[in-house]
């Protein structure tokens, strides 16, 4: 059972480049999330999708877009990467409201 | 907007001692309060959670307490062991939105 799978694990981008971070879960969960983790700032919510077909902004959505492609997949897109987006990105999923969140292994993104 | 404050940011204890991490949340409608442990290079994993209709929950060496009036909840780890060394996050949730604290790096000294 793979759980939550994120690709890629590492990425280096130049300022202004675009890329999409992929996330897929095989637990038939309804809700999916994207967080970024920076030193001293914990996990900050970028976007979430409570159910297939819906997406909502979190605490730090600027500079990002998301797509809930289907129930399994939730992607995060950086249209024009900036050094401030250097971070570790985590995808998570939950079965329903007020239940355990399962996290992927993270994507370490560096923007130079 | 919603906010979760977590203290301390770092905590060092001697093996066998207890560790306490405290969190305060701002949204009184939050109803689910999980705690996660993150080991180096990995994603966070749930270690214990509590719902708003419960004041305390215990699982072996770890326990969580919730004071809804004060909007405050705490993680207690007793008889700490070296493998407890990690980063711990609290979170507060309302509906489908999970907001995390800034994390506590716990070091258990042998």
């Amino acid at each position: 059972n793979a759980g939550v799978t994120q690709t890629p694990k590492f990425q280096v981008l130049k300022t202004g480049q675009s890329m999409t971070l992929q996330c897929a879960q095989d637990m038939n969960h309804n809700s999916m999330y994207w967080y970024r983790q920076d030193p001293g700032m914990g996990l900050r919510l970028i976007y979430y999708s409570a159910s297939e077909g819906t997406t909502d902004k979190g605490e730090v959505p600027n500079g990002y877009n998301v797509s809930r492609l289907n129930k399994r997949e939730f992607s995060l897109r950086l249209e024009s990467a900036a050094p401030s987006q250097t971070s570790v990105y985590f995808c998570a999923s939950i079965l329903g409201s007020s239940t355990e969140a399962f996290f992927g292994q993270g994507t370490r993104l560096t923007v130079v | 907007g919603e906010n979760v404050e977590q203290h301390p940011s770092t905590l060092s204890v001697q093996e066998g001692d207890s560790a306490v991490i405290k969190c305060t949340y701002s949204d009184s409608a939050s109803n689910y309060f999980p705690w996660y442990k993150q080991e180096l290079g990995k994603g966070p994993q749930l270690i214990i959670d509590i719902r708003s209709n419960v004041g305390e929950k215990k699982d072996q060496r770890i326990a969580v307490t919730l004071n809804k009036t004060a909007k405050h909840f705490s993680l207690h780890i007793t008889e700490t062991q070296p493998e407890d060394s990690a980063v711990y996050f609290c979170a507060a949730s309302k509906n489908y939105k999970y907001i995390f604290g800034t994390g506590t790096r716990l070091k258990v000294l042998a």
Side-chain angles (χ1 to χ4, degrees), chain B residues 5-66:
Chain B
E5 293 187 359
Q6 182 172 346
H7 299 281
S9 56
T10 60
L11 178 61
S12 293
V13 299
Q14 291 292 328
E15 182 178 357
D17 286 351
S18 295
V20 180
I21 303 170
K22 299 182 178 182
C23 288
T24 303
Y25 60 99
S26 61
D27 189 342
S28 57
S30 296
N31 57 9
Y32 176 62
F33 307 92
W35 286 88
Y36 288 80
K37 177 182 181 182
Q38 185 180 30
E39 297 179 339
L40 196 61
K42 297 184 178 181
Q45 286 192 302
L46 181 77
I47 55 170
I48 195 167
D49 57 11
I50 192 168
R51 288 176 170 74
S52 57
N53 59 347
V54 176
E56 185 174 357
K57 184 177 178 181
K58 191 173 181 181
D59 183 3
Q60 299 183 7
R61 295 187 298 107
I62 59 174
V64 57
T65 58
L66 172 65

Side-chain angles (χ1 to χ4, degrees), chain A residues 9-108:
Chain A
K9 288 185 169 53
F10 302 94
Q11 183 72 49
V12 178
L13 287 179
K14 292 182 179 178
T15 298
Q17 286 185 319
S18 62
M19 82 160 293
T20 300
L21 280 63
Q22 306 285 355
C23 175
Q25 53 90 9
D26 62 2
M27 297 174 284
N28 200 34
H29 284 178
N30 294 308
S31 306
M32 298 184 72
Y33 303 78
W34 277 105
Y35 290 89
R36 59 177 290 173
Q37 183 174 22
D38 302 294
M41 303 193 75
L43 292 158
R44 291 185 291 170
L45 181 62
I46 305 172
Y47 271 93
Y48 66 106
S49 170
S51 61
E52 187 178 356
T54 69
T55 60
D56 286 286
K57 294 179 180 179
E59 303 167 275
V60 289
N62 292 344
Y64 305 95
N65 285 301
V66 291
S67 295
R68 183 74 182 268
L69 305 170
N70 47 56
K71 191 172 185 179
R72 290 186 63 247
E73 298 172 288
F74 188 40
S75 63
L76 179 71
R77 183 161 178 83
L78 288 70
E79 290 292 351
S80 179
S84 61
Q85 294 178 305
T86 294
S87 188
V88 180
Y89 291 85
F90 285 98
C91 176
S93 70
I94 66 170
L95 178 61
S97 179
S98 301
T99 61
E100 176 182 357
F102 290 83
F103 284 82
Q105 292 286 79
T107 296
R108 185 174 294 276

Side-chain angles (χ1 to χ4, degrees), chain B residues 8-21 37-39 47 61-62 75-88 104-110:
Chain B
S9 56
T10 60
L11 178 61
S12 293
V13 299
Q14 291 292 328
E15 182 178 357
D17 286 351
S18 295
V20 180
I21 303 170
K37 177 182 181 182
Q38 185 180 30
E39 297 179 339
I47 55 170
R61 295 187 298 107
I62 59 174
L75 176 71
H76 304 253
I77 305 174
T78 59
E79 301 173 19
T80 52
Q81 301 168 3
E83 52 264 38
D84 293 329
S85 295
V87 177
Y88 292 81
T104 297
R105 183 173 298 279
L106 173 65
K107 296 181 184 178
V108 179
L109 307 172

